[in-house]
Amino acid sequence: MDKFPNVRRFPRLAPEDGVAELTARVIRQIYRHRQSRIELGRDLIQLKAKLKARKGHGSWETYFTEKFGPFHLSLRCAQNYMKAARKEDSKNETFRFSKPGGGSHAESIRDAEKRAKAEEAHIRGQQKIQLDKDFRAITTELLKLPLWPRVHKEISDLLNQIATKHGIVPAGKEKRNETVAA
Amino acid sequence: MKLLQLKHDYEAESVRLKGQFADPSHAKHNIERDTHVTAPDGGTIAVFLSQRIDAELYQLAYALWKPVKGVPSNRATAVGVKSLHTSMNRYGVPSPRTGVPRAALDILKSQDVGTGTLGYSGDPCRKTKLTIKNPEMLDGNRHLVKRVNQLYKRYLPSLYAQQRAVIKKAPHLRHTAFSTIYVAKNWQTAYHPDGNLPGGMTAILCMGRFDGGALVLPRWRLSFAYRPGDLLLFDAEELHGNLPFVGERMSAAFYCARSVAVADNISRR
């Protein structure tokens, strides 16, 4: 009953006595303990800075002994946690991925993207009527006028004139804008 | 097997690389032999298995999957471009459909890039067109699928059991923890995440004759120089991308699609 006749065989796995599972759990606990020490260090740094801002220099040690002494947390221990937090934060801050990957494929894909973006922008720019900020404000004001239906007709007439001038619509066959002017 | 316990997580920095191409400098550890990589919290990041797949199996797969010719038109991040509007009408109004720009797709076609999805995929989940049209692509590789599944079960038994429990209720590749196989031919992907079953593992292997093409996981600064016959198990929901390669290369990713795992979302065909 060999389904894979040409496949290499492997040594049997160690019996499932739970050692691997427990080792993984211990590693997880160590990691969590380490993380919580770093978190504690970060909070202590913040607290120290706030106390300094409120009461000035020299108040930290007294405050610490008074508040945290009963919890059997020594000052030296807290200093170590703060040091670990600073080290961790500086480590995360310094690393940056230096550059995106190169190679001919990457270059050609980047070029293609640039071309496609430029093309889209070009088509959009060509086809749209661009209104700058002032003209947009004027349009908004015109829309608010009680005489807007008349203004709307005037704009339609003006567009007809331009179209006739450029030979798009023959003279005497001007279009009527049926859109309701609201 | 070597155990590599990582100490640093570069998640915040690596997020910025999404859609960018991989560079050798992004990786600190280059893995070429059997290694179990774990995160600082003890969770598994990847398992690299060297020369575990028989040559006959992957050579047959290479021959059967070579005809795939789909283009990844809806995978802009993996292509390495921004998703743009696919077309525009004569008034300059863009189509609501977006995807990989045509210029980029032309480049991929010129490089003989081809992709295909086998098994079950989509939303609602159903058998893919490629599977219906070319059943031999899946049936002919039955032994390879079983072998990959066997290795996953052997080296990551608890994750395998979880994935299997979820997939059992949905359409999947028979007796395996996978629903789908994604085949990519001659494609150097940019950093992208895949939409697979959260917490599940993806098994990836490669075929062909090529140099380079290592898989880089920037979050952990890892690169896996996997060759034909090797198998890599990793969480494809994290950013990953390939280094440049020369030659003919094909990769196949075996995974459980996210949509497949949603029991209400099943449409059998």
Side-chain angles (χ1 to χ4, degrees), chain B residues 179-216:
Chain B
S179 65
T180 323
I181 303 172
Y182 189 78
V183 181
K185 187 176 69 177
N186 295 330
W187 186 20
Q188 184 202 339
T189 57
Y191 287 127
H192 66 282
D194 290 326
N196 301 355
L197 179 73
M201 284 278 170
T202 294
I204 195 163
L205 57 97
C206 63
M207 294 147 268
R209 285 183 173 190
F210 60 92
D211 274 329
L215 188 93
V216 182

Side-chain angles (χ1 to χ4, degrees), chain A residues 2-13 16 21 23-25 27-32 34-35 88 91-129, chain B residues 3 5 7-10 13-14 16-17 20-23 25-27 40-43 50-52 54 56-57 79-85 88-92 94 101-104 107-108 111 113 142-144 146-147 150-151 154-155 157 187-189 218-219 221 244:
Chain A
D2 201 345
K3 285 181 186 173
F4 307 104
N6 298 317
V7 176
R8 281 167 45 184
R9 295 276 159 225
F10 305 99
R12 296 249 173 237
L13 289 175
E16 282 298 319
E21 197 92 349
T23 311
R25 271 175 62 183
I27 291 171
R28 230 170 282 147
Q29 295 294 343
I30 293 169
Y31 175 76
R32 276 188 208 144
R34 189 173 163 269
Q35 285 303 106
E88 184 70 19
K91 212 185 290 168
N92 290 341
E93 275 164 18
T94 47
F95 182 76
R96 291 277 179 275
F97 287 103
S98 53
K99 54 176 183 177
S104 60
H105 174 74
E107 291 300 325
S108 54
I109 288 288
R110 273 185 217 127
D111 284 349
E113 189 188 11
K114 267 185 208 163
R115 279 205 308 277
K117 275 184 180 170
E119 203 179 315
E120 190 180 303
H122 178 68
I123 294 169
R124 282 186 178 203
Q126 250 186 0
Q127 304 281 2
K128 262 189 175 174
I129 296 173
Chain B
L3 180 73
Q5 168 103 36
K7 287 178 185 158
H8 306 300
D9 182 351
Y10 303 96
E13 293 83 2
S14 66
R16 293 186 207 111
L17 290 175
Q20 306 269 2
F21 282 92
D23 188 80
S25 68
H26 297 169
D41 67 354
S50 174
Q51 295 305 304
R52 292 294 208 285
D54 193 66
E56 271 179 39
L57 295 179
V79 171
V81 293
K82 286 250 161 65
S83 194
L84 295 176
H85 296 283
M88 216 175 275
N89 72 11
R90 61 190 171 136
Y91 302 110
R102 203 165 294 160
I107 288 170
L108 295 181
Q111 291 171 349
V113 170
R142 224 172 41 242
H143 290 307
L144 176 71
K146 279 189 181 174
R147 178 70 182 140
Q150 193 187 37
L151 290 169
R154 189 184 188 101
Y155 287 94
W187 186 20
Q188 184 202 339
T189 57
R219 181 177 172 185
R221 299 196 67 198

Side-chain angles (χ1 to χ4, degrees), chain A residues 49-62:
Chain A
K50 284 190 183 198
L51 276 176
K52 194 176 176 182
R54 194 200 280 176
K55 295 182 181 174
H57 184 75
S59 55
W60 169 241
E61 285 186 20
T62 327

Side-chain angles (χ1 to χ4, degrees), chain B:
Chain B
M1 181 176 289
K2 188 183 158 189
L3 180 73
L4 177 63
Q5 168 103 36
L6 297 176
K7 287 178 185 158
H8 306 300
D9 182 351
Y10 303 96
E11 190 178 12
E13 293 83 2
S14 66
V15 167
R16 293 186 207 111
L17 290 175
K18 193 173 175 184
Q20 306 269 2
F21 282 92
D23 188 80
S25 68
H26 297 169
K28 201 163 113 186
H29 307 277
N30 185 30
I31 292 159
E32 290 176 332
R33 58 196 177 96
D34 287 15
T35 312
H36 188 146
V37 190
T38 56
D41 67 354
T44 297
I45 294 170
V47 174
F48 182 76
L49 302 168
S50 174
Q51 295 305 304
R52 292 294 208 285
I53 308 225
D54 193 66
E56 271 179 39
L57 295 179
Y58 67 74
Q59 278 166 4
L60 176 66
Y62 187 52
L64 285 169
W65 290 337
K66 218 172 175 185
V68 292
K69 56 181 179 186
V71 281
S73 56
N74 58 350
R75 303 198 65 194
T77 313
V79 171
V81 293
K82 286 250 161 65
S83 194
L84 295 176
H85 296 283
T86 47
S87 60
M88 216 175 275
N89 72 11
R90 61 190 171 136
Y91 302 110
V93 179
S95 150
R97 290 187 68 177
T98 54
V100 177
R102 203 165 294 160
L105 288 179
D106 289 343
I107 288 170
L108 295 181
K109 278 179 196 163
S110 72
Q111 291 171 349
D112 194 26
V113 170
T115 62
T117 312
L118 293 164
Y120 301 88
S121 182
D123 189 7
C125 168
R126 61 179 66 179
K127 206 176 244 186
T128 65
K129 274 184 189 170
L130 188 70
T131 320
I132 296 165
K133 217 174 164 188
N134 306 286
E136 76 284 354
M137 284 191 179
L138 205 55
D139 295 340
N141 287 312
R142 224 172 41 242
H143 290 307
L144 176 71
V145 177
K146 279 189 181 174
R147 178 70 182 140
V148 172
N149 183 66
Q150 193 187 37
L151 290 169
Y152 183 11
K153 190 178 178 180
R154 189 184 188 101
Y155 287 94
L156 292 170
S158 54
L159 282 173
Y160 176 86
Q162 284 171 25
Q163 191 163 322
R164 184 92 180 106
V166 173
I167 209 168
K168 260 184 183 175
K169 299 166 197 159
H172 59 278
L173 306 180
R174 253 183 154 194
H175 308 303
T176 71
F178 308 115
S179 65
T180 323
I181 303 172
Y182 189 78
V183 181
K185 187 176 69 177
N186 295 330
W187 186 20
Q188 184 202 339
T189 57
Y191 287 127
H192 66 282
D194 290 326
N196 301 355
L197 179 73
M201 284 278 170
T202 294
I204 195 163
L205 57 97
C206 63
M207 294 147 268
R209 285 183 173 190
F210 60 92
D211 274 329
L215 188 93
V216 182
L217 302 184
R219 181 177 172 185
W220 307 107
R221 299 196 67 198
L222 287 171
S223 81
F224 298 93
Y226 63 122
R227 307 286 314 154
D230 297 344
L231 185 78
L232 172 67
L233 296 159
F234 76 110
D235 180 5
E237 283 220 310
E238 283 181 8
L239 280 187
H240 57 279
N242 294 108
L243 288 174
F245 58 87
V246 185
E248 288 264 319
R249 183 182 186 273
M250 183 186 279
S251 64
F254 297 64
Y255 63 97
C256 173
R258 190 179 292 179
S259 58
V260 169
V262 183
D264 302 340
N265 205 9
I266 299 161
S267 143
R268 282 184 188 272
R269 185 168 163 184

